[in-house]
Amino acid sequence: MKKALFVVSIVLMLGMVLGACSQKSDVYTVGTDATFPPFEMMDDDKNLIGFDIELMEMIAEEAGIDIEFKNTSFDAMLAGMTTCQYDMAASAITITDERKETMAFSVPYINAGQAVVVAADSAITGVDDLVGKTIGGQLGTTGLMEAEAVVDATVKTYDSYELAFQDVANGQADAIIIDYPTALAYVALNEGKLKVVGEPFTDENYGIVICKSNTELQEKVNAALTTLIAEGKVAELEQKWLAGE
Ligand code: ARG
């Protein structure tokens, strides 16, 4: 009797181990930094929501793959992508030549540019007024690179843009450089405290990042994304998440 039980439990354990392994190889991990509305953020119940989250789910469905999001800081996520710690990343990631050296990108799915956010009562009217100022940006972002390019500026880096906006609202920093759609979202969240000044001053395309060695996955993502763009599904997402911008 005891022996039978032992055999049964061994079989069960083996089944669990095998199940876990096979599950792992079938589910692709997708890194994201869910502090970037309207592209990736959390709702009140801590569910991931946003443009990129829905886009990634549509891509997965179209490509016939399973995905699982891993929420982490932007900088850690990009570093992780250079070593294929995640299979993919969806996080409003600008396609740049430098990044292309260490990670693969999908075709572009949306266009954005960097903008300047200041306190509501600030005299700064745009990027040209930032010389010598204290400018905040999120670690690893193109916005931070733009801040570093400003003459005589003191650059403050943050793990997430949330803290950067608090600092600007409290007068601890003069300005933030951040993607325009997210600038508008944060200004809306901090009613009366912040404003966007000037026009977006860079031209950037977002892509899904794919582990560089996985060209097969890159092809699947590109085929799915190209179909979704052609069918107007990406335009629908823009309408839903970026309406009025
Ligand atoms: N587009 C910018 C970049 O690629 C900022 C992206 C930040 N995304 C985020 N989820 N925090 O550097």
Side-chain angles (χ1 to χ4, degrees):
M1 192 59 208
K2 263 191 180 162
K3 202 173 175 189
L5 259 181
F6 178 74
V7 171
V8 166
S9 53
I10 290 291
V11 168
L12 275 176
M13 267 159 61
L14 260 175
M16 275 158 71
V17 169
L18 285 174
C21 289
S22 64
Q23 189 192 4
K24 201 174 170 213
S25 59
D26 286 336
V27 178
Y28 291 102
T29 51
V30 182
T32 194
D33 163 32
T35 63
F36 211 69
F39 296 102
E40 41 271 334
M41 63 245 192
M42 289 211 202
D43 67 11
D44 293 339
D45 301 322
K46 301 253 179 276
N47 296 312
L48 291 175
I49 57 165
F51 183 108
D52 287 338
I53 306 299
E54 281 186 26
L55 177 65
M56 209 50 239
E57 278 161 358
M58 286 163 80
I59 290 173
E61 196 183 331
E62 181 70 34
I65 60 173
D66 288 327
I67 55 166
E68 185 190 344
F69 287 102
K70 301 281 180 193
N71 191 12
T72 178
S73 75
F74 188 73
D75 196 44
M77 184 200 67
L78 275 193
M81 284 313 300
T82 66
T83 57
C84 298
Q85 189 184 338
Y86 311 107
D87 297 302
M88 291 175 270
S91 215
I93 304 168
T94 302
I95 303 171
T96 71
D97 287 340
E98 197 191 329
R99 288 174 180 168
K100 273 189 186 164
E101 285 171 18
T102 53
M103 48 194 101
F105 277 93
S106 70
V107 293
Y109 62 87
I110 204 168
N111 201 264
Q114 298 299 310
V116 177
V117 179
V118 295
D121 58 359
S122 171
I124 295 170
T125 61
V127 66
D128 295 336
D129 290 342
L130 294 182
V131 175
K133 297 282 197 276
T134 301
I135 312 169
Q138 184 184 27
L139 262 179
T141 61
T142 48
L144 188 69
M145 286 173 214
E146 294 299 331
E148 279 159 358
V150 174
V151 178
D152 290 337
T154 304
V155 176
K156 277 188 129 180
T157 58
Y158 300 86
D159 279 337
S160 117
Y161 268 114
E162 277 161 0
L163 293 172
F165 281 106
Q166 274 175 31
D167 267 9
V168 169
N170 300 331
Q172 305 285 107
D174 298 310
I176 285 168
I177 298 181
I178 185 169
D179 306 46
Y180 184 62
T182 307
L184 294 181
Y186 267 105
V187 168
L189 286 171
N190 289 272
E191 253 226 81
K193 293 187 194 158
L194 303 167
K195 63 182 176 188
V196 180
V197 287
E199 294 294 312
F201 61 94
T202 64
D203 185 29
E204 304 186 15
N205 283 310
Y206 294 170
I208 304 296
V209 169
I210 302 117
C211 155
K212 197 165 185 180
S213 53
N214 200 343
T215 41
E216 199 190 317
L217 182 59
Q218 185 186 16
E219 278 159 24
K220 275 188 191 168
V221 168
N222 272 340
L225 186 50
T226 306
T227 303
L228 293 170
I229 292 170
E231 286 176 346
K233 295 276 166 42
V234 176
E236 277 171 29
L237 284 181
E238 277 180 44
Q239 203 49 42
K240 173 171 179 184
W241 294 101
L242 302 159
E245 290 186 9

